Short mmCIF file of all heavy atoms in Angstrom, two decimals:
data_model
loop_
_atom_site.label_atom_id
_atom_site.label_comp_id
_atom_site.label_asym_id
_atom_site.label_seq_id
_atom_site.Cartn_x
_atom_site.Cartn_y
_atom_site.Cartn_z
N PHE A 11 -20.04 32.58 11.80
CA PHE A 11 -20.06 31.37 10.97
C PHE A 11 -21.38 31.21 10.22
O PHE A 11 -21.41 30.62 9.14
CB PHE A 11 -19.76 30.14 11.82
CG PHE A 11 -18.30 29.95 12.08
CD1 PHE A 11 -17.72 30.40 13.25
CD2 PHE A 11 -17.48 29.37 11.13
CE1 PHE A 11 -16.37 30.26 13.48
CE2 PHE A 11 -16.13 29.22 11.34
CZ PHE A 11 -15.57 29.66 12.52
N LEU A 14 -20.75 33.30 7.26
CA LEU A 14 -19.74 32.67 6.40
C LEU A 14 -20.35 31.52 5.61
O LEU A 14 -20.10 31.37 4.41
CB LEU A 14 -18.57 32.18 7.24
CG LEU A 14 -17.45 31.48 6.46
CD1 LEU A 14 -16.08 31.91 6.98
CD2 LEU A 14 -17.57 29.97 6.55
N ASN A 15 -21.15 30.69 6.26
CA ASN A 15 -21.74 29.55 5.57
C ASN A 15 -22.72 29.99 4.50
O ASN A 15 -22.88 29.32 3.47
CB ASN A 15 -22.43 28.63 6.58
CG ASN A 15 -21.43 27.84 7.41
OD1 ASN A 15 -20.38 27.46 6.90
ND2 ASN A 15 -21.75 27.60 8.67
N ALA A 18 -20.41 30.88 1.55
CA ALA A 18 -19.54 29.83 1.03
C ALA A 18 -19.97 29.45 -0.38
O ALA A 18 -21.16 29.42 -0.70
CB ALA A 18 -19.59 28.61 1.94
N PRO A 22 -21.31 21.61 2.83
CA PRO A 22 -20.81 20.26 3.14
C PRO A 22 -21.65 19.19 2.45
O PRO A 22 -22.88 19.27 2.42
CB PRO A 22 -20.95 20.19 4.66
CG PRO A 22 -20.89 21.61 5.13
CD PRO A 22 -21.58 22.40 4.05
N VAL A 284 -11.45 27.98 6.11
CA VAL A 284 -11.50 27.96 7.57
C VAL A 284 -10.92 26.63 8.05
O VAL A 284 -11.30 25.56 7.57
CB VAL A 284 -12.94 28.13 8.07
CG1 VAL A 284 -13.04 27.82 9.55
CG2 VAL A 284 -13.42 29.54 7.80
N GLY A 285 -10.01 26.70 9.00
CA GLY A 285 -9.31 25.52 9.48
C GLY A 285 -7.86 25.55 9.02
O GLY A 285 -7.53 26.19 8.02
N ASP A 305 -13.35 22.17 4.51
CA ASP A 305 -13.09 23.25 5.45
C ASP A 305 -13.70 22.89 6.80
O ASP A 305 -14.31 21.82 6.96
CB ASP A 305 -13.57 24.61 4.93
CG ASP A 305 -15.08 24.81 4.97
OD1 ASP A 305 -15.81 23.93 5.48
OD2 ASP A 305 -15.54 25.86 4.49
N SER A 306 -13.51 23.77 7.78
CA SER A 306 -14.00 23.52 9.14
C SER A 306 -15.15 24.44 9.51
O SER A 306 -15.36 24.73 10.69
CB SER A 306 -12.85 23.69 10.15
OG SER A 306 -11.83 22.73 9.93
N SER A 307 -15.90 24.91 8.52
CA SER A 307 -16.98 25.85 8.81
C SER A 307 -18.12 25.18 9.58
O SER A 307 -18.74 25.80 10.45
CB SER A 307 -17.50 26.48 7.52
OG SER A 307 -17.95 25.49 6.62
N LEU A 308 -18.44 23.92 9.27
CA LEU A 308 -19.54 23.24 9.95
C LEU A 308 -19.25 23.08 11.45
O LEU A 308 -20.16 23.19 12.27
CB LEU A 308 -19.79 21.88 9.31
CG LEU A 308 -20.99 21.09 9.84
CD1 LEU A 308 -22.30 21.83 9.57
CD2 LEU A 308 -21.04 19.70 9.22
N SER A 309 -17.99 22.86 11.80
CA SER A 309 -17.60 22.71 13.21
C SER A 309 -17.23 24.04 13.85
O SER A 309 -16.71 24.05 14.97
CB SER A 309 -16.43 21.74 13.33
OG SER A 309 -15.26 22.28 12.73
N LYS A 310 -17.50 25.12 13.13
CA LYS A 310 -17.19 26.48 13.59
C LYS A 310 -15.71 26.67 13.88
O LYS A 310 -15.30 27.25 14.89
CB LYS A 310 -18.04 26.85 14.80
CG LYS A 310 -19.55 26.83 14.51
CD LYS A 310 -20.35 27.37 15.67
CE LYS A 310 -21.85 27.29 15.40
NZ LYS A 310 -22.27 28.04 14.20
N GLY A 311 -14.91 26.12 12.96
CA GLY A 311 -13.48 26.40 13.00
C GLY A 311 -12.62 25.39 13.73
O GLY A 311 -11.41 25.63 13.88
N LEU A 315 -12.02 18.85 12.78
CA LEU A 315 -13.40 18.41 12.47
C LEU A 315 -13.84 19.13 11.20
O LEU A 315 -14.36 20.23 11.24
CB LEU A 315 -14.34 18.70 13.64
CG LEU A 315 -14.03 17.99 14.96
CD1 LEU A 315 -15.00 18.40 16.05
CD2 LEU A 315 -14.03 16.47 14.79
N ARG A 316 -13.61 18.48 10.08
CA ARG A 316 -13.75 19.12 8.78
C ARG A 316 -14.89 18.50 7.97
O ARG A 316 -15.39 17.43 8.32
CB ARG A 316 -12.42 19.00 8.02
CG ARG A 316 -11.25 19.65 8.77
CD ARG A 316 -9.90 19.14 8.31
NE ARG A 316 -9.70 17.74 8.70
CZ ARG A 316 -8.59 17.05 8.44
NH1 ARG A 316 -7.59 17.63 7.78
NH2 ARG A 316 -8.47 15.79 8.83
N SER A 317 -15.25 19.18 6.89
CA SER A 317 -16.36 18.73 6.05
C SER A 317 -15.99 18.85 4.58
O SER A 317 -15.48 19.89 4.15
CB SER A 317 -17.62 19.54 6.34
OG SER A 317 -18.03 19.36 7.68
N LYS A 319 -16.41 19.33 0.62
CA LYS A 319 -17.21 20.16 -0.27
C LYS A 319 -16.74 19.94 -1.71
O LYS A 319 -15.72 19.31 -1.96
CB LYS A 319 -17.06 21.64 0.11
CG LYS A 319 -17.56 21.99 1.50
CD LYS A 319 -17.42 23.48 1.78
CE LYS A 319 -18.16 23.88 3.03
NZ LYS A 319 -18.15 25.35 3.23
N TYR A 337 -15.10 31.54 -0.17
CA TYR A 337 -16.22 32.32 0.37
C TYR A 337 -16.40 33.54 -0.52
O TYR A 337 -15.41 34.18 -0.92
CB TYR A 337 -15.95 32.70 1.82
CG TYR A 337 -15.43 31.52 2.61
CD1 TYR A 337 -14.08 31.41 2.91
CD2 TYR A 337 -16.29 30.49 2.98
CE1 TYR A 337 -13.60 30.29 3.58
CE2 TYR A 337 -15.82 29.37 3.64
CZ TYR A 337 -14.46 29.27 3.95
OH TYR A 337 -13.98 28.15 4.59
#
Side-chain angles (χ1 to χ4, degrees):
F11 280 97
L14 179 139
N15 286 326
V284 168
D305 74 4
S306 296
S307 58
L308 185 63
S309 66
K310 299 187 183 301
L315 298 178
R316 301 160 291 181
S317 298
K319 297 182 168 186
Y337 315 102

